[in-house]
Amino acid sequence: MTIDARHPLPGTRPLVVGAARSGIAAARLLARHGLEVRVCDRRPAAELAAAARALELPRVERAFGRDDPGLLERCDFVVWSPGIPVAHPLAVAARGRGLPVLSELEIGFLAAHAPLLCITGTNGKSTTTDLVGALLRAAGREVEVCGNIGRALCEVAESVSPSGLLAVEVSSFQLETVDRLKPFVATWLNLTPDHLDRHPDLESYAALKRRLFERQDEGDYAVGNADDPEVAKRRAGRGTRLEFSIRGAVGEGAFAREGVIHLAWRGGTERLLDRRELRLLGEHNLANVVAALATVLPLAPPRDLMRAVLRGYGGLEHRLEPAGEVEGVRFVNDSKATNVSSMEVALRSFREPVVLIAGGRDKGQDFAPLAPLARRAVRHLVLIGEGAERIAADWRGVPQSRAASLAAAVEAAFEAARGGAAGSAPATVLLSPGCASFDMFRDYEDRGRQFKAEIARLKLREAHA
């Protein structure tokens, strides 16, 4: 069976594991191509009503409430959800039978008509991918932003014409089960310890990121962070090399120097715009900007349009997002900060100490290296979730308290922020958890929106005071 003549599939009877966004998209795509699809999910049918409706299709069998190896009977390959560890007994059993185990990302690539621009890294993926899409749309290109941000690749892969582009945010979990993925542009933003509850060590995590470049050839482009030695020493492949930097010039790519953003292309260097013209704040966002510019550079967007996009681009929800003000206390929603390095970026983005709400699902991270920064940058720490004990132990000396819920945490943080030393200005309350959200919330977006709902409640109380 083939999706097209260039990209044969390894069989005609796939088992799609996981009935969430990516699994549903893969199943629907494969069914459209005439395959006999079985979709399984360990959750009971009562929790999967929306998935069941989306999968009410000819040639789609639903097996809810199961994730056992018996599901492999009569199947000849597996489509694996990135949210499920590949050490799961079902994946182990599939490989033991010699069945290919592929990610939804791989299926989407095989079905796509348009070239893929893939962006990966520990932090900054969503903002960079979204900005890549904005730059290309402004230049009049047909483009879909998808992958780990927004819609699954399989949902949009066949709707974009060969002259269009697919800007894809790619996670290490998706790269665990790719084989033939070959992006036209592959961009690696950075590498810091993350997901070490799932990957054995940093080297294993890096090896997955490197897969993005392995099948590229000289007609493709490999973009890397010249400021990150972990990326610089590991990026491999035959793609034409481009770089980005916020510390100095690069040979080919984009860089910031002395407050000015430049493009370096085909032996020449040109000034694009001053950094102070950007709406995005922080060194990390400056790095995201030059990464996005290096990613789109081979597609030659007009420079005046690039400038206009950068001057107007305000970033994404849940990423250092201003979330309101109550009685002089500013609130900032950085719920997307799910690891130590993104929390560090957030803390370095404020001139004055903040009241920090942190904690959540513990991913085995070490918060101790951040303790000196926390002692300077955090006026008071409010801890929630499973990770509270680890952060509390690693940050001894930082004034702190615990809260049993996000609502209680917001209330405690608000009191700490407005109750500073006599004569001092109210502090900013920053939600930058440094942990995953799954202990208390559906995902980081749910966490961020509940945070904003609590701020709205405070505003309403203020209005009626």
Side-chain angles (χ1 to χ4, degrees), residues 315-321 333 336 444-445 448-449 452:
L316 292 170
E317 189 180 18
H318 311 300
R319 295 155 180 86
L320 288 175
E321 173 197 10
N333 169 26
K336 185 63 171 65
Y444 75 86
E445 294 174 324
R449 287 170 186 154
K452 291 192 286 187

Side-chain angles (χ1 to χ4, degrees), residues 53-66:
R53 289 192 296 271
L55 294 169
E56 285 179 356
L57 299 168
R59 295 182 294 279
V60 175
E61 172 193 349
R62 301 189 298 271
F64 295 160
R66 294 181 61 188

Side-chain angles (χ1 to χ4, degrees), residues 209-232:
K209 299 292 190 183
R210 196 164 53 235
R211 285 187 178 184
L212 202 57
F213 303 88
E214 287 177 352
R215 290 190 169 270
Q216 288 188 302
D217 56 35
E218 293 82 356
D220 302 317
Y221 292 89
V223 181
N225 186 348
D227 301 334
D228 189 324
E230 299 294 340
V231 172

Side-chain angles (χ1 to χ4, degrees), residues 382 403-413 454 457:
V382 182
S405 67
L406 184 60
V410 170
E411 191 71 46
E454 290 302 320
R457 180 184 58 80

Side-chain angles (χ1 to χ4, degrees), residues 131 134-136 138-139 254 263 270 272-273 278 289 292-294 296-297 300-313:
L131 181 52
L135 289 164
L136 293 171
L263 302 178
E270 59 182 297
L272 189 67
L273 79 167
L278 301 176
V289 166
L293 291 171
V296 303
L297 200 52
R303 304 309 193 238
D304 58 336
L305 295 177
M306 295 168 81
R307 293 185 188 97
V309 170
L310 294 176
R311 288 167 180 150
Y313 185 75

Side-chain angles (χ1 to χ4, degrees), residues 161-235:
S161 70
S163 62
L165 297 159
L166 291 155
V168 190
E169 179 187 332
V170 176
S171 73
S172 59
F173 296 169
Q174 292 169 302
L175 291 169
E176 286 177 320
T177 46
V178 297
D179 177 39
R180 287 176 283 174
L181 178 66
K182 182 179 179 292
F184 171 56
V185 182
T187 299
W188 191 350
L189 300 177
N190 42 57
L191 181 71
T192 58
D194 194 18
H195 303 304
L196 298 186
D197 54 338
R198 177 148 159 180
H199 307 314
D201 49 43
L202 182 66
E203 195 54 49
S204 302
Y205 177 45
L208 293 172
K209 299 292 190 183
R210 196 164 53 235
R211 285 187 178 184
L212 202 57
F213 303 88
E214 287 177 352
R215 290 190 169 270
Q216 288 188 302
D217 56 35
E218 293 82 356
D220 302 317
Y221 292 89
V223 181
N225 186 348
D227 301 334
D228 189 324
E230 299 294 340
V231 172
K233 72 183 181 184
R234 290 181 172 94
R235 191 166 45 123

